[in-house]
Amino acid sequence: MNPAPPRRFNLKYLPLAATVSLFVAMATLGSAMYTGFFSAQVFLNLLIDNAFLIVVAVGMTFVILSGGIDLSVGSVVALTTMVCASLVEHRGWSMGTVIPLVLAMGTAFGAFMGFLIERFRLQPFIVTLAGMFLARGLCYLISIDSISIGNETFAAVSQMRIPLWADASLSVGAAIALAVLLAAIFIAHCTGFGRAVYAIGGSEQSAVLMGLPVRGTLIGVYTLSGFCSALAGVIFTFYMLSGYGLHAVGLELDAIAAVVIGGTLLTGGVGYVAGTLFGVLMLGIIQTLIAFDGTLSSWWTRIVVGLLLLAFCLLQRLLTQRAPKA
Amino acid sequence: QKKIVLGFSQVGAESEWRTANTESIKSAAKDAGIELKFSDAQQKQENQIKAIRAFIAQKVDVIAFSPVVASGWDTVLKEAKAAKIPVVLTDRAVDSKDTSLYVTFMGSDFTEEGRKAGRWLVEKMKDTKGDVNIVELQGTVGSAPAIDRKKGFEEVIKADPRFKIIRSQTGDFTRAKGKEVMEAFLKAEGKKINVLYAHNDDMAIGAIQAIEEAGLKPAKDITIISIDAVKGAFEAMIAGKLNVSVECSPLLGPQLMTAVKDIMAGKPVQKRIVTEEGIFPMEVAAKEFPKRKY
Amino acid sequence: MRHRLAWPLVTLFLLLAVNTAFNPSFLHIQWRDGHLYGSLIDILNRAAPLVLVSLGMTLVIATRGIDISVGATVAIAAALAAWMIGGSVAGDVSRFPMPVAILGALAIALVCGLWNGLLVAKVGMQPIIATLILMVAGRGIAQLITGGQIITIYYAPFFFLGGGYLLGLPFSLFIVGAVFAALYLAMTRTALGLFIQAVGINPGAARVAGIQSRRLIVGAYAFCGLCAGIAGLLICSNVKSADGNNAGQLLELDAILAVTLGGTALTGGRFSLVGSVIGALIIQTLTYAIYSLGVPPEINLVVKAIVVFIVMLLQSPEFRAFIGKAIRRPALHEGRP
Amino acid sequence: MTPESANPILDLSGIAKHFSGTPVLRDVKLRLHRGEIHALMGQNGAGKSTLIKVLTGVIEPDAGRMLLEGQPVWPKSPLAAQKLGISTVYQEVNLCPNLSVAENIFAGRYPRHGLAQGFRIDWATANRRAREVLARVGLDIDVERLLASYPVAVQQLVAIARAISIESKVLILDEPTSSLDDDEVRKLFEVLRRLRDDGLAIVFVTHFLNQVYAVSDRITVLRNGGWVGEWRAADLGPQALIAAMLGREIAAQSTAPAVAPAFDNSAPPLLQALGLGQARQLQPVDLQVRAGEVLGVAGLLGSGRTELARLLFGLEAPDRGVLRIDGSEVKFGSPADAIAQGLALCPEERKTDGIVAELSVRENIALALQARMGVRRFLSHAEQTALAERFVADLGIKAASVETPIGLLSGGNQQKAMVARWLATQPRLLILDEPTRGIDVAAKQEIMEQILRLARAGMAVIFISSEMSEVVRVAHRIVVLRDRRKVGELPAGSSEDAVYELIAAEHA
Ligand SMILES: Nc1ncnc2c1ncn2[C@@H]1O[C@H](COP(=O)(O)OP(=O)(O)OP(=O)(O)O)[C@@H](O)[C@H]1O
Ligand SMILES: Nc1ncnc2c1ncn2[C@@H]1O[C@H](COP(=O)(O)OP(=O)(O)OP(=O)(O)O)[C@@H](O)[C@H]1O
Ligand SMILES: [Mg+2]
Ligand SMILES: [Mg+2]
């Protein structure tokens, strides 16, 4: 009846645009303040140092979009590094057999939690919290000490750099993370599974009544997150060349924070995978800024991290205030 | 002449000990006229690696850090080596096979601290008869000091079958947990407990409270050994509630600055610089206390 | 009500039974030094801070929120109280009068809660991020107050709060009892309970019905902060010191776990205060069991995980139906049209 | 009873279902034939929606048999039902508010392209096809916008569009017309007739008797969960139908105009809006209403009626014009302010703005009154129960007890409880936005009477309804909106045609 008012810019991308522009603003600020900050490698390091976080957060994005949460990711990363390290070091297995094995293990772990959540209508928070305890506990059963990986293939992959231009380069882990990100964007927006995740997050009841495969999708979401955690664990193993039960402590919170900062609603159904990338980069750049500053004491570090987070979130709210009510 | 720039990545600020360590390094850098780039890793290895990468990008002159954990440093240390920045390890070692990745390691030996505690106990108990029932308060599960202090202690006491560790549980290096766990030990084992071995002073201080609340006399009914020798431990020893504390010195600052200057001047430095550390039984506590800096 | 709490209660009794089975003196309570002494008393006393924080958390969760900053608030309150009381080995003087120190700690905790509430209700941030900010910065603030040290408290009157006994019972139980009673009355004798549930279930409808949900939400976070402040006082009085880095570490997870074990859904709405208390007791009893049964520390987490899995499955009606069906497998097809 | 019952496409019999002891369906049957529109009738809570949910696999019945084209089948989920060729529009709009309109239409069966058509969702095609299906139900909207940005009526049409775009043998529509105006209903019926002629079997639930006779071929009536009978529409007159549904006789819906009582025309207005509006949502509107007056608001879908109500109630902030109460200017920051001034709004969207699903009927009815009285003046449990039970009896709310969570009530009964919530506040001005949505004949009568009784007692009422006959019956004055602009005012006693004329007039 009434033609919709003309729009120059689709308002639903506003939160994403806000996040991206704030990231750019932060980067500009850093470059202006610290020497050596404005270099390609510093920005590539954001990807290299946060590759595992990107992968974990991508999995987490799907979980949160479906209206759930996965607290087990950090522990699964630790468990993966531990299993990798102990199989390679103590059993002498090769990289080619260990990696598929741990990926399958993480995937199965996620599927198991997803099954409990879906079949017995348990709260995701508590199931994945128990999963977090379990995975971390299993690490200690393997060994309480850390295990260094001396295997040459691992070391070679770990130190391999993909040259980009001049002397800027990217690690294998970062390349994998970018690939995962692209695949996830595709899954989220161009496949039935991805759209079902959004639908369930919007209203699970409606999704059931619309005849969407809710059960499979819910289990699938946690399975995917389990897979992503295991993959992140493999990247982490390359990154650290060691297995350790205390690796990636608190990673789940970083991942959740990255997802939410990236504009995804914790209540589900709203958000973008691409936003998550910028959420991770945001957290990363806050740390880089602080490392470059180098004058903050331990407690001021925490306070400043909190303040930067606050400033970012306030600005983001301000910029997105004019978003549609819905 | 240009000021030397030292990038230092600290583990965190998880204990008094660590705070004293940070303070020592900061003030020593100031005294030595070295510009310090300080970064706190909030107990995460990832963060330390990020900080080291940031130091490399900033082209600092020397990088020093206290590794959160021994393993997993090869990649980033190779990057530092490629950027021709010398690296100094403080407080904890790394288990890299390629020792050319760092110039020197200075700091304490956790295993040796455990051994010292064990030796003191063996000495103290040499005249007593019958079993010696020990309860152990471990540090955070999986952390290097917890593993090594346990290992060193066990190494020494296992020679004598009278020594039995009847309970061992983690107290996460904190007073509150130390007290809570000790409370449970006392209820479960009652008067059987002869000795308490705590991996740090804080847990021992918490446990002392639990022992008192259970109506027992700390240091008399139960012999208490702990590690670190921080101020609180001295107070407890002076009050006659703690038998002994093994020193683990956080005052690495001056040593570190000397090493940094030597490196920059091209002088050779030792691969391993051991800090002098003592052991303080309660008898000497009152005399030593005024000399303590942390 | 009875029905909803039945399974959490069963879990609690099972845990107590396990403890008793392995440690016959577990239920033993004796009179010693003018007060009751025994494992059960320990559990109650140790659970006190967790119960308090869980009560606050219950309200926040009921409004569809979550507060992950309670641990940091505990640390801030403890640090400020310890600093205001001050430390001199003499033990009979304090920097500020004790009531001032206590009020100061409670006030700062309240401010922390209000801050969270304002970020959530007024600025419109998502609760987990709003409280993450304080969670990260809060420990820094606590350490700033303590200067990164552990402040040992020597002022004896302060120890009564978390370590004293009244009528033979730990004084902390009276504090928890008072907070619980006040909260319970506020929820059942005024319309607060109804409004909070309405806001948690359907914020839109609550707004149209004329409920001022912003105020309620700010209030819930403020109360949660206050509870954390009281918990911080209890903890720092009990261990006679304040540790900016470690006080209340991971308390937020335990509190959320307690609330969920008590049968309150994290999606907001219907809540049960009694359930949260039971949930907190379950957690503390489990912790105590791990310590007193001689579980090796490296498998602590596995044991905890397995217990949590069992507890939540027991509480799931779907799981019970599933087990029921599995047992009566042959009859399965008859009911089916 | 009817000769065609020989070869039904869908044949349900002996269906029984009870929820925690209370029987909701008892030995119910339903037979559908190809090429018929079958009306399923019954009072609120009779079990219509439950029967539909049973046959689409949402809930599992206790007993019963279902034959689809002679084969015994039993769908275990809506997905399975869809695969069997049963496509459904449920009573409450069950779509995803966070997805675009096009997605809601195609969720689960997107057009694809690439790699032999199984690879990637083809958004361009999806959007184009969505526009096509929507055009069939007479809707021309931006299909890429989020569903939540459209009002219920549009959402209802989207749900219908989704259902008819699914290739199916049986199409089930549970109260599809509850928010639609006559024009939209007409368009929908055209579509249904076409589908029927193509051989589809259609089940249609409604509370509007005229709609039943306009399209349906046959009628099945349920009463209190029991099966009453099946008739050909031609064989069952309205009186008989009502009698079958209620189990007793009442006078058919009266069409007598202006039952509204007289009121003091000279009294100063209670509420006065001068040029009240909001950019893009509502052109400035002048309006006033006096104590004891019923002001009807009429207009077509999207004409801005809901927007007007929300502005008056402070749910949205006007960006122009002033609002006066008792002659003094007021600004509402939130509904709470409006309520403090004695206003009340029974909102149109009961699912999002109305019911608090997990709370009991008692708490839901007491909620607004309690909010008005404040936190401390707490209505005791007994007072709340008394209040709730009074309205349960007055409006005939069918619930196991007042302690039943309101989410478990049938749609119509939820709506009655919402009206009860606002009547309970005894406001000075009551704004009712589509209060009779989904309510059965008997209850509608009761609500109208309540409104008039309250008006007689001095309450001012603003009455918004898509059903023009209701508006003209109760209103003292009718404000007519078109395209978010007030186009005129009509006096009491105006006919429906007069209103339509006014709406159409300026179109020319
Ligand atoms: N899940 C449930 N639990 C308990 N009772 C239920 C449940 N679902 C429906 N009921 C009850 O079943 C009865 C029939 O409800 P149903 O929704 O089928 O009615 P309806 O005929 O569709 O009414 P309306 O015209 O109001 O939509 C109602 O009294 C309702 O309270
Ligand atoms: N048939 C329609 N076609 C296009 N847009 C519509 C239609 N109906 C409603 N809208 C949308 O509805 C919104 C305004 O409707 P509003 O709720 O104010 O009107 P209303 O008269 O109350 O309608 P309703 O009777 O559906 O409640 C606008 O966003 C408009 O785009
Ligand atoms: Mg119905
Ligand atoms: Mg409307």
Side-chain angles (χ1 to χ4, degrees):
Chain A
M1 261 174 216
N2 304 70
R7 278 171 291 116
R8 289 133 290 165
F9 168 73
N10 196 339
L11 281 178
K12 71 183 182 179
Y13 294 119
L14 192 57
L16 192 58
T19 313
V20 175
S21 39
L22 282 173
F23 173 77
V24 172
M26 282 243 178
T28 318
L29 183 82
S31 308
M33 277 168 62
Y34 306 112
T35 46
F37 193 99
F38 189 74
S39 76
Q41 196 57 48
V42 168
F43 290 93
L44 290 176
N45 279 350
L46 281 180
L47 291 177
I48 295 174
D49 291 329
N50 294 300
F52 59 94
L53 184 54
I54 293 175
V55 176
V56 164
V58 161
M60 185 72 83
T61 310
F62 282 90
V63 176
I64 291 182
L65 279 176
S66 79
I69 199 156
D70 187 352
L71 297 178
S72 71
V73 290
S75 306
V76 174
V77 166
L79 183 59
T80 308
T81 66
M82 208 66 191
V83 172
C84 271
S86 80
L87 288 182
V88 169
E89 284 302 299
H90 299 165
R91 296 282 156 81
W93 290 27
S94 75
M95 192 168 96
T97 41
V98 169
I99 291 178
L101 182 84
V102 291
L103 289 181
M105 195 188 71
T107 312
F109 192 81
F112 169 68
M113 291 191 301
F115 171 76
L116 288 182
I117 291 167
E118 200 288 323
R119 179 65 182 80
F120 301 123
R121 305 267 103 208
L122 299 173
Q123 298 199 45
F125 187 94
I126 181 166
V127 172
T128 55
L129 183 67
M132 161 178 160
F133 291 152
L134 184 64
R136 187 88 49 204
L138 291 175
C139 292
Y140 298 139
L141 286 189
I142 296 173
S143 158
I144 57 168
D145 210 344
S146 69
I147 306 173
S148 266
I149 299 180
N151 181 302
E152 270 132 40
T153 1
F154 266 89
V157 176
S158 163
Q159 276 136 30
M160 195 153 100
R161 286 289 180 273
I162 302 162
L164 294 179
W165 63 86
D167 53 354
S169 61
L170 212 54
S171 70
V172 178
I176 296 177
L178 289 179
V180 167
L181 189 82
L182 292 179
I185 293 177
F186 178 80
I187 292 175
H189 299 286
C190 301
T191 67
F193 172 79
R195 299 324 294 170
V197 171
Y198 276 85
I200 292 171
S203 164
E204 188 175 335
Q205 192 202 357
S206 294
V208 171
L209 293 181
M210 284 162 86
L212 297 179
V214 171
R215 302 193 122 200
T217 306
L218 270 182
I219 296 178
V221 155
Y222 289 92
T223 311
L224 180 68
S225 175
F227 171 79
C228 284
S229 309
L231 184 60
V234 172
I235 295 177
F236 206 84
T237 313
F238 285 131
Y239 186 63
M240 296 290 194
L241 278 184
S242 72
Y244 187 31
L246 286 175
H247 270 333
V249 172
L251 184 67
E252 54 282 346
L253 219 84
D254 288 342
I256 295 170
V259 172
V260 176
I261 288 173
T264 300
L265 289 191
L266 209 55
T267 40
V270 180
Y272 297 99
V273 178
T276 299
L277 171 69
F278 284 92
V280 173
L281 293 181
M282 249 320 289
L283 294 180
I285 206 162
I286 287 180
Q287 275 185 359
T288 311
L289 282 175
I290 286 172
F292 267 79
D293 183 80
T295 58
L296 297 173
S297 70
S298 301
W299 35 97
W300 276 110
T301 303
R302 291 179 167 182
I303 296 175
V304 171
V305 170
L307 288 177
L308 286 176
L309 209 56
L310 173 70
F312 176 81
C313 292
L314 283 179
L315 284 173
Q316 196 185 30
R317 281 296 306 164
L318 214 70
L319 289 179
T320 54
Q321 207 96 78
R322 257 164 278 150
K325 274 165 280 165
Chain B
Q1 182 197 347
K2 209 178 122 268
K3 241 183 170 184
I4 299 174
V5 181
L6 168 67
F8 181 75
S9 166
Q10 180 60 287
V11 174
E14 73 279 12
S15 62
E16 268 185 296
W17 189 97
R18 188 63 64 189
T19 307
N21 182 242
T22 303
E23 274 316 306
S24 162
I25 286 164
K26 281 191 169 171
S27 62
K30 204 167 176 192
D31 294 344
I34 290 175
E35 186 184 336
L36 182 68
K37 287 265 172 196
F38 178 83
S39 162
D40 180 289
Q42 319 275 339
Q43 279 106 281
K44 287 189 195 167
Q45 185 177 14
E46 308 83 286
N47 292 357
Q48 279 196 312
I49 294 181
K50 287 174 200 171
I52 293 173
R53 291 227 162 94
F55 292 148
I56 297 173
Q58 282 175 293
K59 304 192 170 62
V60 299
D61 298 311
V62 182
I63 292 174
F65 69 106
S66 302
V68 173
V69 53
S71 55
W73 297 101
D74 285 19
T75 311
V76 70
L77 290 187
K78 280 194 180 132
E79 284 171 29
K81 193 177 171 187
K84 301 200 173 57
I85 301 176
V87 172
V88 179
L89 307 177
T90 67
D91 167 38
R92 297 179 190 180
V94 302
D95 68 358
S96 181
K97 290 197 189 73
D98 181 1
T99 51
S100 75
L101 291 179
Y102 57 92
V103 184
T104 176
F105 159 50
M106 57 180 57
S108 2
D109 180 341
F110 298 136
T111 320
E112 182 57 27
E113 287 160 9
R115 288 195 205 105
K116 280 184 190 162
R119 277 187 223 116
W120 183 89
L121 181 64
V122 171
E123 176 66 23
K124 155 119 181 165
M125 293 289 171
K126 67 175 187 288
D127 301 328
T128 48
K129 286 193 184 55
D131 284 352
V132 178
N133 292 321
I134 305 168
V135 295
E136 182 183 28
L137 287 175
Q138 301 184 20
T140 308
V141 177
S143 66
I147 294 169
D148 292 346
R149 285 171 184 174
K150 183 176 175 62
K151 194 167 76 190
F153 185 74
E154 282 174 350
E155 229 171 68
V156 174
I157 60 162
K158 81 169 176 251
D160 186 342
R162 287 187 306 139
F163 292 99
K164 291 198 176 71
I165 298 185
I166 54 171
R167 291 274 163 156
S168 180
Q169 182 56 263
T170 173
D172 287 338
F173 284 132
T174 68
R175 287 193 192 184
K177 279 280 171 200
K179 182 172 185 179
E180 189 176 343
V181 174
M182 192 65 198
E183 241 170 31
F185 283 173
L186 287 165
K187 297 288 182 315
E189 299 290 346
K191 298 219 159 60
K192 256 165 64 189
I193 303 171
N194 307 116
V195 176
L196 164 68
Y197 170 48
H199 286 186
N200 80 346
D201 289 333
D202 286 332
M203 290 191 291
I205 293 168
I208 288 170
Q209 293 174 11
I211 294 170
E212 287 181 312
E213 280 166 23
L216 298 174
K217 294 218 159 41
K220 297 193 180 59
D221 297 330
I222 296 177
T223 304
I224 305 173
I225 309 168
S226 72
I227 297 180
D228 275 359
V230 296
K231 203 154 72 196
F234 274 87
E235 285 168 2
M237 286 193 278
I238 293 169
K241 294 175 180 174
L242 174 69
N243 296 77
V244 64
S245 187
V246 176
E247 185 185 36
C248 174
S249 175
L251 306 180
L252 296 172
Q255 261 176 333
L256 174 61
M257 298 313 147
T258 318
V260 168
K261 282 191 167 159
D262 287 352
I263 292 168
M264 290 314 286
K267 289 189 217 160
V269 280
Q270 275 178 291
K271 201 79 202 172
R272 174 82 171 88
I273 302 172
V274 186
T275 17
E276 271 311 307
E277 289 170 336
I279 173 164
F280 301 100
M282 62 197 287
E283 294 77 21
V284 303
K287 193 164 96 291
E288 284 289 324
F289 188 54
K291 294 188 232 157
R292 303 300 293 172
K293 293 208 192 70
Y294 59 97
Chain C
M1 185 84 160
R2 217 186 72 227
H3 189 68
R4 276 214 298 165
L5 294 182
W7 286 101
L9 270 178
V10 167
T11 318
L12 182 57
F13 283 118
L14 277 179
L15 275 173
L16 290 174
V18 169
N19 263 316
T20 318
F22 284 94
N23 179 4
S25 67
F26 179 75
L27 293 178
H28 200 69
I29 293 182
Q30 55 187 170
W31 188 264
R32 194 190 276 189
D33 304 331
H35 60 81
L36 292 171
Y37 177 89
S39 303
L40 287 178
I41 303 294
D42 278 357
I43 291 179
L44 288 176
N45 198 6
R46 287 272 155 255
L50 181 57
V51 171
L52 281 171
V53 176
S54 307
L55 287 176
M57 188 70 82
T58 310
L59 287 199
V60 170
I61 287 179
T63 64
R64 276 194 176 182
I66 196 155
D67 185 352
I68 57 173
S69 72
V70 285
T73 308
V74 161
I76 294 178
L80 190 71
W83 179 81
M84 286 178 87
I85 284 172
S88 84
V89 193
D92 50 358
V93 285
S94 62
R95 185 174 297 166
F96 292 92
M98 193 170 86
V100 176
I102 291 176
L103 284 181
L106 294 183
I108 199 167
L110 191 67
V111 169
C112 290
L114 279 173
W115 164 261
N116 285 333
L118 289 177
L119 285 187
V120 173
K122 292 272 149 75
V123 182
M125 277 189 207
Q126 299 197 53
I128 202 162
I129 287 298
T131 55
L132 176 72
I133 291 169
L134 188 60
M135 180 194 185
V136 174
R139 292 211 175 268
I141 295 171
Q143 285 189 308
L144 192 65
I145 297 172
T146 63
Q149 305 287 322
I150 296 176
I151 301 186
T152 306
I153 302 173
Y154 302 94
Y155 184 66
F158 183 67
F159 302 155
F160 184 72
L161 218 52
Y165 289 84
L166 185 68
L167 306 173
L169 286 172
F171 183 64
S172 56
L173 294 191
F174 291 89
I175 296 180
V176 172
V179 171
F180 178 81
L183 185 61
Y184 192 80
L185 288 181
M187 290 302 130
T188 53
R189 293 294 152 81
T190 75
L192 274 176
L194 178 65
F195 290 175
I196 287 179
Q197 292 181 27
V199 168
I201 298 168
N202 190 343
R207 186 166 128 81
V208 177
I211 296 172
Q212 305 201 316
S213 45
R214 286 186 178 187
R215 279 190 213 171
L216 277 180
I217 292 174
V218 174
Y221 282 91
F223 178 77
C224 186
L226 188 65
C227 281
I230 303 175
L233 283 175
L234 291 187
I235 291 173
C236 99
S237 153
N238 189 283
V239 294
K240 304 175 183 171
S241 59
D243 182 342
N245 188 66
N246 294 311
Q249 191 104 58
L250 295 185
L251 193 62
E252 51 278 349
L253 274 189
D254 276 346
I256 298 169
L257 187 59
V259 174
T260 26
L261 288 181
T264 301
L266 285 173
T267 39
R270 286 271 184 219
F271 63 91
S272 162
L273 294 175
V274 183
S276 298
V277 174
I278 296 175
L281 289 177
I282 291 176
I283 293 174
Q284 194 56 42
T285 311
L286 173 61
T287 313
Y288 193 89
I290 286 176
Y291 294 158
S292 70
L293 300 185
V295 174
E298 52 275 14
I299 68 167
N300 281 1
L301 282 173
V302 176
V303 173
K304 205 168 171 181
I306 290 170
V307 173
V308 175
F309 272 126
I310 293 174
V311 172
M312 67 197 181
L313 283 176
L314 267 184
Q315 291 191 11
S316 155
E318 279 80 6
F319 180 73
R320 295 199 299 269
F322 172 77
I323 293 294
K325 265 191 194 160
I327 294 170
R328 288 180 270 107
R329 175 79 56 194
L332 187 66
H333 287 283
E334 279 165 33
R336 188 89 210 161
Chain D
M1 238 175 274
T2 42
E4 303 95 302
S5 44
N7 208 352
I9 180 168
L10 186 76
D11 185 357
L12 284 142
S13 55
I15 306 291
K17 176 72 197 172
H18 63 81
F19 288 112
S20 48
T22 355
V24 172
L25 293 176
R26 278 171 281 118
D27 193 19
V28 170
K29 38 191 149 179
L30 180 67
R31 254 168 305 173
L32 297 180
H33 297 267
R34 282 190 189 79
E36 74 162 351
I37 297 180
H38 195 123
L40 181 60
M41 303 294 293
Q43 271 187 286
N44 293 135
K48 306 178 294 291
S49 300
T50 309
L51 178 63
I52 286 168
K53 286 185 184 156
V54 163
L55 96 91
T56 58
V58 179
I59 49 185
E60 194 179 317
D62 304 332
R65 194 175 57 99
M66 172 167 163
L67 299 176
L68 184 71
E69 297 178 310
Q71 299 297 313
V73 289
W74 208 271
K76 286 191 177 166
S77 70
L79 181 59
Q82 230 173 62
K83 286 191 180 140
L84 287 172
I86 305 174
S87 132
T88 319
V89 176
Y90 295 93
Q91 179 171 11
E92 299 298 334
V93 174
N94 275 299
L95 296 174
C96 294
N98 61 323
L99 302 183
S100 74
V101 171
E103 271 196 78
N104 269 296
I105 292 176
F106 287 110
R109 46 194 192 91
Y110 296 99
R112 316 275 179 139
H113 64 191
L115 285 192
Q117 268 53 52
F119 185 50
R120 170 155 78 81
I121 296 173
D122 181 354
W123 287 115
T125 310
N127 290 339
R128 182 173 45 77
R129 297 230 315 248
R131 276 189 288 272
E132 285 166 15
V133 238
L134 287 175
R136 285 175 71 185
V137 292
L139 206 56
D140 176 21
I141 55 175
D142 180 357
V143 295
E144 288 176 66
R145 256 172 69 180
L146 296 187
L147 184 78
S149 60
Y150 293 102
V152 243
V154 175
Q155 298 188 11
Q156 208 165 44
L157 285 169
V158 172
I160 295 169
R162 174 181 168 86
I164 61 175
S165 72
I166 295 176
E167 289 281 314
S168 58
K169 301 171 194 154
V170 178
L171 174 64
I172 301 171
L173 304 165
D174 193 353
E175 296 197 28
T177 55
S178 61
S179 322
L180 305 187
D181 64 28
D182 297 349
D183 202 36
E184 313 288 324
V185 171
R186 222 187 44 247
K187 279 184 209 143
L188 174 64
F189 285 178
E190 271 164 34
V191 176
L192 293 187
R193 287 196 197 97
R194 213 173 317 128
L195 290 170
R196 171 186 62 191
D197 297 343
D198 292 347
L200 221 65
I202 299 172
V203 180
F204 174 62
V205 180
T206 185
H207 290 292
F208 298 106
L209 299 191
N210 53 345
Q211 295 183 2
V212 175
Y213 291 106
V215 283
S216 52
D217 305 303
R218 240 154 5 137
I219 302 174
T220 290
V221 175
L222 301 183
R223 185 168 69 230
N224 261 332
W227 184 80
V228 179
E230 187 197 277
W231 293 270
R232 258 195 294 195
D235 299 343
L236 187 73
Q239 289 293 342
L241 174 56
I242 291 176
M245 290 197 294
L246 302 188
R248 64 190 156 90
E249 310 263 333
I250 62 159
Q253 195 171 354
S254 142
T255 42
V259 263
F263 73 100
D264 183 4
N265 237 333
S266 61
L270 172 72
L271 175 135
Q272 192 176 21
L274 294 172
L276 197 71
Q278 196 191 40
R280 283 218 236 113
Q281 296 296 330
L282 193 67
Q283 300 293 316
V285 168
D286 292 331
L287 161 146
Q288 56 184 28
V289 53
R290 297 182 174 80
E293 182 182 29
V294 180
L295 177 72
V297 180
L300 297 181
L301 272 190
S303 55
R305 296 163 300 175
T306 298
E307 191 61 30
L308 174 63
R310 293 172 70 91
L311 283 177
L312 291 176
F313 193 59
L315 261 169
E316 252 142 70
D319 54 13
R320 62 198 66 165
V322 292
L323 194 61
R324 292 209 181 121
I325 289 193
D326 295 330
S328 48
E329 191 175 329
V330 288
K331 269 216 156 58
F332 297 144
S334 73
D337 298 345
I339 290 171
Q341 293 281 352
L343 267 61
L345 166 71
C346 180
E348 173 181 31
E349 313 210 2
R350 89 174 152 244
K351 200 170 161 189
T352 54
D353 295 339
I355 62 164
V356 184
E358 286 145 58
L359 293 186
S360 64
V361 174
R362 165 180 62 83
E363 287 165 311
N364 266 287
I365 291 181
L367 193 63
L369 179 59
Q370 182 65 66
R372 185 171 169 188
M373 298 202 323
V375 165
R376 259 159 298 155
R377 275 266 299 103
F378 187 48
L379 289 167
S380 71
H381 200 288
E383 285 170 303
Q384 291 183 15
T385 309
L387 180 78
E389 273 171 354
R390 198 180 85 224
F391 280 104
V392 165
D394 280 1
L395 301 182
I397 299 176
K398 187 169 177 288
S401 86
V402 292
E403 296 302 324
T404 316
I406 198 167
L408 298 184
L409 261 53
S410 79
N413 284 309
Q414 290 178 5
Q415 183 65 32
K416 291 182 201 168
M418 286 304 100
V419 175
R421 172 192 288 174
W422 293 104
L423 291 178
T425 59
Q426 304 199 315
R428 297 207 296 149
L429 168 63
L430 177 59
I431 307 171
L432 297 161
D433 193 355
E434 311 274 5
T436 54
R437 193 179 142 213
I439 285 182
D440 65 34
V441 185
K444 239 177 227 174
Q445 196 79 12
E446 176 58 30
I447 286 178
M448 300 300 227
E449 271 159 30
Q450 285 255 3
I451 291 170
L452 293 176
R453 209 174 309 141
L454 289 166
R456 239 172 268 132
M459 185 163 89
V461 178
I462 295 180
F463 184 84
I464 304 172
S465 175
S466 292
E467 223 189 322
M468 214 60 84
S469 60
E470 279 180 7
V471 180
V472 296
R473 265 179 69 215
V474 295
H476 292 112
R477 228 158 11 98
I478 302 169
V479 167
V480 181
L481 298 182
R482 187 174 60 74
D483 287 346
R484 300 150 210 272
R485 161 180 294 134
K486 179 172 164 184
V487 290
E489 246 182 60
L490 293 169
S494 308
S495 68
E496 288 180 48
D497 290 340
V499 180
Y500 282 122
E501 254 167 54
L502 189 54
I503 290 175
E506 292 192 21
H507 256 305

